[in-house]
């Protein structure tokens, strides 16, 4: 069976609010300490792949453009795409599917193919296709090449990673079919660079410097199996790398073509492979580009040699998922790291002039008032430059979701969940307790006079200091009053 061919594709982040739409990090932008809007480079990579095959592609990030539903409908009428793809996020799933329904209603159901991708589809794709006629196809697993195969008109049953409807035939009833996942892509260098010409690059800026910023995906996969994180399910448990030369070529393109000099290197654990990391840093240094970048790391994959080289290559901040100050909870989360290791990691970073951003995850089932206190003290002791206490977010398909369902911990529907607003209780604490604890803990951490003085001192320029003050005031206003439903 074949899908109807398409030629004019529209890839969108629907107008359903400013969210981080990474598979493993889905949250309201306003719920984060660093309220940064990242460009949808994953959609831009899909766009580049399609264009390489000959399709005409448009990309819209409606929330970042401050554009609403009228703008989207206007685009549908004007561009008349025959394929629309959305990246579905759990918290905005209803609105995301509304965008596909709007495409069918505006263009005619038979005139447009509608596709949903994202971690949500990984877990719930078959159910979506059973109950939502507005969705023609779902993608699951690593999907870069799935869209291309669909575009080329390959038989549906041969396209790995596709979820589709089989029409009744030869006595078989109609059914939803989930093909096996697409094999993980080994040759990441073979993927095209994201089609940044389709993005409004001026919309994505560093909150610190206000200069244009982009994301570069350097590696994929994570060997850890944290119970709240879908990284391994989506990208595999083995890390695959782009070559340093290929990443350097993308940096070069960003600098020369788009004037972008600020980067986040997205990689579930960017610093794990020392040789690869140092080779990349050496290329950046040799290029002479004065770029500024940050990355994700794990506390057990940073040392003096790495930190020194990263700093020399323009790195200024390293983010660590330290999660909890209680070892029993860390083990329950299957984090595979020792709590004390975070002190050493922070120390190494500071020694080399790198700022430290730590993420804590609170509210997994074993959490109590005592363990929260322990995490708070732990956070004060690490004394990071930036920090977030994210409330555990049971994404469908994760082990945490199964536990929450099994133990009856949901107090609100899964789509009401968020980093700032708990949907699940722990065995001891209510979702309201967690939401309130997070609010007060963040306020208490931010309002330390020494912390404020240090941040302003380290800002390095009046412009950055002013941006810190503005961000701090905005955060303070958010946190000062209890959440309406908490
Ligand atoms: S270390 Fe854990 S939280 Fe981080 S990417 Fe891997 S699985 Fe996810």
């Amino acid at each position: 069976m074949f899908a109807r061919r398409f030629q004019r594709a529209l890839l969108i982040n629907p107008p359903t609010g400013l969210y981080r739409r990474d598979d493993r990090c889905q949250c309201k932008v306003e719920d984060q300490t660093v309220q940064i809007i990242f460009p949808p480079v994953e959609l831009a990579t899909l766009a580049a792949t399609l264009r390489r095959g000959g399709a005409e592609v448009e990309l819209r990030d409606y929330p970042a453009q401050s554009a609403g539903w009228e703008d989207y409908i206007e685009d549908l009428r004007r561009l008349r795409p025959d394929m629309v793809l959305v990246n579905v996020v759990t918290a905005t799933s209803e609105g995301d599917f509304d965008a596909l329904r709007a495409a069918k209603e505006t263009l005619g159901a038979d005139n447009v193919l509608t596709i949903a991708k994202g971690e949500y589809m990984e877990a719930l794709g078959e159910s979506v296709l059973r109950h939502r006629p507005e969705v023609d196809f779902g993608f699951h697993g690593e999907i870069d090449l799935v869209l291309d195969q669909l575009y080329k008109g390959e038989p549906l049953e041969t396209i790995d990673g596709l979820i589709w409807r089989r029409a009744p035939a030869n006595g078989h009833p109609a059914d939803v079919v989930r093909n096996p996942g697409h094999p993980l892509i080994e040759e990441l260098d073979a993927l095209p660079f994201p089609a940044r010409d389709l993005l409004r690059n001026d919309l994505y800026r560093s909150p610190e410097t206000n200069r244009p910023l982009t994301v570069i995906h350097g590696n994929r996969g994570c060997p850890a199996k944290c119970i709240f994180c879908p990284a391994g399910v989506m990208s595999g448990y083995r890390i695959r790398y782009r070559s340093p030369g290929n990443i350097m070529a993308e940096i070069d393109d960003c600098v020369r073509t788009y004037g972008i000099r600020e980067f986040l290197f997205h990689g579930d654990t960017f610093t794990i492979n020392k040789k690869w990391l140092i080779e990349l840093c050496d290329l950046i240094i040799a290029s002479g580009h004065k770029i500024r970048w940050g990355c994700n790391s794990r506390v057990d994959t940073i040392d003096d040699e790495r930190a020194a080289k990263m700093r020399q290559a323009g790195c200024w901040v390293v983010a660590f998922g330290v999660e909890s100050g209680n070892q029993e909870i860390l083990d329950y989360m299957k984090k595979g790291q020792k709590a004390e290791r975070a002190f050493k990691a922070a120390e190494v970073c500071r020694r080399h002039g790198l700022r430290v951003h730590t993420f804590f995850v609170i509210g997994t089932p074993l959490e109590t008032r005592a363990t929260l206190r322990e995490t708070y003290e732990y956070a004060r002791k690490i004394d990071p430059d930036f920090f977030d206490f994210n409330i555990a977010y049971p994404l469908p398909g994760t082990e945490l979701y199964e536990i929450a369902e099994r133990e009856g911990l949901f107090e609100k529907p899964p789509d009401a969940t968020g980093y700032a607003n708990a949907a699940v209780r722990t065995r001891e604490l209510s979702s309201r307790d967690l939401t309130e604890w997070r609010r007060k803990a963040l306020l208490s951490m931010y309002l330390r006079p020494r912390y404020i003085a240090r941040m302003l001192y380290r800002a390095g320029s009046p412009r950055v200091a002013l941006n810190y003050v503005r961000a701090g005031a905005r955060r303070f206003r958010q946190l000062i009053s209890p959440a309406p439903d908490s």
Side-chain angles (χ1 to χ4, degrees), residues 24 221-233 236-237 267-269 296-298 300 320-321 323 333-337 361:
R24 75 182 172 92
C222 179
K225 294 185 176 169
C226 303
I227 60 171
F228 52 82
C229 180
V233 175
Y237 296 100
D268 296 325
T269 309
N296 297 315
S297 180
R298 271 178 62 103
D300 46 9
F320 298 101
E323 327 302 16
M333 288 175 177
K334 302 190 178 163
K335 186 72 192 177
Q337 75 190 21
V361 170

Side-chain angles (χ1 to χ4, degrees), residues 121-178:
M121 296 302 290
E122 178 73 36
L124 303 172
E126 286 135 293
S127 162
V128 167
L129 260 75
R130 276 198 186 99
H131 299 109
R132 293 186 180 273
E134 66 270 29
V135 184
D136 291 322
F137 295 108
F139 289 174
H140 69 100
E142 195 164 70
I143 62 144
D144 303 75
L145 304 178
V146 182
L147 188 57
D148 196 40
Q149 286 176 271
L150 200 61
Y151 172 70
K152 287 176 179 152
E154 294 179 13
L156 299 181
E157 52 274 25
T158 68
I159 303 178
D160 290 339
L162 190 69
I163 307 170
W164 55 288
R165 290 189 194 89
R166 190 185 344 243
N170 304 328
H172 293 294
D175 198 7
V176 169
V177 181
R178 181 188 175 100

Side-chain angles (χ1 to χ4, degrees), residues 10-19 37-40 43 58-72 75 78-79 197-204:
L10 177 61
L11 315 183
I12 62 169
N13 277 343
T16 50
L18 272 176
Y19 273 78
I37 306 169
F38 288 120
L43 290 182
E58 292 286 343
L59 198 162
R60 296 284 186 277
D61 184 356
Y62 291 103
Q65 292 170 217
S66 305
W69 286 96
E70 313 73 41
D71 302 285
Y72 170 52
D75 280 343
R78 195 170 48 80
L79 301 169
D197 58 305
L198 296 179
L199 292 169
R200 292 253 323 262
N201 292 294
D202 58 314
L203 296 175
Y204 310 101

Side-chain angles (χ1 to χ4, degrees), residues 201-332:
N201 292 294
D202 58 314
L203 296 175
Y204 310 101
R205 291 179 174 271
S206 156
E208 267 225 336
T209 62
N210 202 31
R211 293 196 307 214
L213 170 146
T214 194
V215 174
I216 291 188
H217 290 249
N219 56 356
R220 292 184 180 181
C222 179
K225 294 185 176 169
C226 303
I227 60 171
F228 52 82
C229 180
V233 175
M234 299 298 293
S235 320
Y237 296 100
R238 187 170 47 83
I239 305 182
R240 292 157 292 138
Y241 298 89
R242 289 172 61 188
S243 68
N246 184 255
I247 298 172
M248 190 61 232
E250 187 175 340
I251 296 172
D252 205 56
D253 186 46
C254 290
V255 173
R256 291 180 199 280
T257 312
Y258 302 101
I260 300 173
R261 292 176 181 277
E262 302 244 1
F263 298 88
L264 172 78
F265 285 119
H266 189 290
D268 296 325
T269 309
F270 192 72
T271 56
I272 199 167
N273 184 328
K274 192 167 176 169
K275 184 170 170 293
W276 175 85
L277 178 72
I278 287 180
E279 207 179 314
L280 174 61
C281 289
D282 280 336
L283 286 179
I284 296 173
I285 296 162
S287 75
H289 291 319
K290 296 284 171 250
I291 65 167
R292 210 167 162 269
W293 54 275
C295 66
N296 297 315
S297 180
R298 271 178 62 103
V299 294
D300 46 9
T301 63
I302 189 93
D303 54 25
D304 284 301
E305 197 184 343
R306 276 179 264 216
K309 194 60 97 171
M310 286 158 68
R311 183 78 189 113
Q312 214 189 332
C315 181
W316 72 278
V317 64
V318 185
F320 298 101
V322 296
E323 327 302 16
S324 175
N326 177 280
Q327 190 61 47
E328 195 188 346
I329 289 187
L330 272 180
D331 295 343
Y332 180 84

Side-chain angles (χ1 to χ4, degrees), residues 90-91 93-94 393-394 396 401 405 409-418 421-424 431 485:
T90 300
S93 55
E94 284 302 323
Y393 189 123
Y401 188 92
E405 282 228 303
L409 301 177
F410 275 106
E411 290 188 337
K412 295 177 199 157
D415 61 359
T417 196
N421 215 335
V424 293
S431 56
D485 63 339

